[in-house]
Amino acid sequence: MSPSDTTTTVRDAVTIPAPATPYQGEIARYWDQEARPVNLRLGDVDGLYHHHYGIGAVDHTALGAPGAADREEKLIAELHRLESAQTDVLLDHLGPVQQDDLLVDAGCGRGGSMVMAHQRFGCSVEGVTLSVKQADFANRRAKELGVEGSVRARVCNMLSMPFATGQAAASWNNESSMYVDLQDLFAEHARVLASGGRYVTITGCWNPVHGQPSKWVSQINAHFECNIHSRREYLRAMADNRLVPQAVVDLTAATLPYWELRATSSLTTGIEEAFINSYKDGSFQYLLIAADRV
């Protein structure tokens, strides 16, 4: 088999696993170049680097006194605590997991959720990402933590994952499904999951009650170069691909404290207003959907 059968080179010499599109090349390039302090400084708190947002009430006592010299450091630690709390909620919905199971993180970023899953369940966790730099970072952290035998990131297209049919006991997308077509994504998760296996996603989605994505949702799309789907699209694509929802949890109210706290930090990126306003006006929702493969 020639290299061209397994990889595709997209503009500017970005090489990603086939099948690939110019858009996927853009996304690979985006995340290869991403080094936002809001992702890196929060991960520096305890070495778990996430690429998602947080949920839960802010512990204002942990922030210390306003104006104190260590206020910003404590605020960053609290934002990170809320990030990890979000991962804990996702892991809570994976159902029973055995030590000899394989879990799959589709769109694993720098690997924080994979490490947390291994720490909780003791099983193998494999992640996929289009970004070479993210995969290298995640694998380096796994080695530093001494879990490289159980936690691994691969440079891979989540629409064509390198797992055998039925190999995974559970899989998830944590704020990564807005970069792909949902029909293609859920068909691939249904393929790699064992019968009865659990799939979980936590995602922002636009509310179809509003008829079309709001201006705030459009701003979020532009900021992250993504395509946010509606809640209805998630449920329809799951139904079409043998993924039967067992829980649909609205986390919108639970994520607002994270965004309101982040908006007061030194780590703002300019997108905080769009998230806060869209969550408050109901045009955007933060959902967890857990579904079983039938």
Side-chain angles (χ1 to χ4, degrees):
M1 181 177 289
S2 70
S4 63
D5 292 325
T6 57
T7 61
T8 297
T9 301
V10 188
R11 282 176 23 216
D12 301 334
V14 173
T15 301
I16 58 177
T21 65
Y23 172 71
Q24 289 172 315
E26 295 289 348
I27 297 307
R29 192 159 32 250
Y30 177 96
W31 288 110
D32 275 346
Q33 296 171 356
E34 184 275 333
R36 287 194 178 97
V38 73
N39 292 320
L40 296 173
R41 286 190 63 191
L42 268 61
D44 288 342
V45 171
D46 62 4
L48 293 173
Y49 293 84
H50 299 300
H51 281 278
H52 58 254
Y53 310 126
I55 59 173
V58 173
D59 180 359
H60 290 281
T61 63
L63 300 179
D70 61 351
R71 172 82 173 190
E72 185 68 9
E73 179 182 351
K74 290 182 175 180
L75 189 153
I76 289 170
E78 181 63 5
L79 286 172
H80 182 63
R81 184 185 71 80
L82 298 177
E83 277 190 314
S84 291
Q86 190 258 32
T87 296
D88 276 328
V89 169
L90 186 152
L91 299 179
D92 288 344
H93 284 81
L94 289 183
V97 176
Q98 308 302 317
Q99 284 197 356
D100 59 352
D101 284 339
L102 171 68
L103 306 182
V104 173
D105 183 351
C108 64
R110 290 185 171 96
S113 296
M114 291 197 295
V115 173
M116 289 181 65
H118 171 70
Q119 290 173 338
R120 179 185 292 204
F121 301 117
C123 64
S124 295
V125 189
E126 297 246 9
V128 301
T129 173
L130 288 174
S131 169
V132 172
K133 289 189 176 179
Q134 284 187 342
D136 287 347
F137 189 105
N139 289 330
R140 184 170 63 251
R141 282 299 298 141
K143 186 173 183 179
E144 291 167 355
L145 293 169
V147 297
E148 70 273 21
S150 300
V151 175
R152 177 171 64 154
R154 302 195 200 188
V155 180
C156 172
N157 191 324
M158 72 171 73
L159 302 182
S160 182
M161 293 187 279
F163 308 113
T165 298
Q167 185 178 358
S171 62
W172 68 83
N173 286 93
N174 196 354
E175 295 183 18
S176 55
S177 55
M178 64 287 297
Y179 289 101
V180 293
D181 177 87
L182 292 181
Q183 290 285 348
D184 293 340
L185 177 67
F186 293 151
E188 182 64 353
H189 278 285
R191 184 189 69 80
V192 303
L193 281 170
S195 179
R198 173 61 59 89
Y199 170 76
V200 179
T201 184
I202 295 182
T203 186
C205 56
W206 63 271
N207 189 345
V209 171
H210 280 242
Q212 292 292 331
S214 68
K215 67 176 182 180
W216 304 117
V217 172
S218 296
Q219 286 182 21
I220 296 168
N221 274 334
H223 184 84
F224 293 106
E225 299 182 21
C226 64
N227 179 33
I228 293 166
H229 307 288
S230 73
R231 182 183 65 217
R232 182 179 296 142
E233 289 175 282
Y234 278 94
L235 297 174
R236 181 184 299 123
M238 285 183 179
D240 289 344
N241 289 284
R242 304 182 67 179
L243 294 171
V244 179
Q246 305 298 309
V248 180
V249 184
D250 189 339
L251 298 172
T252 306
T255 198
L256 257 175
Y258 165 89
W259 283 102
E260 290 171 338
L261 181 63
R262 176 167 148 173
T264 69
S265 77
S266 63
L267 303 179
T268 55
T269 63
I271 200 59
E272 288 77 14
E273 180 186 21
F275 276 92
I276 292 169
N277 288 338
S278 61
Y279 284 144
K280 286 185 174 180
D281 71 16
S283 63
F284 196 40
Q285 297 175 306
Y286 197 51
L287 293 187
L288 179 149
I289 307 174
D292 285 348
R293 162 70 162 86
V294 298

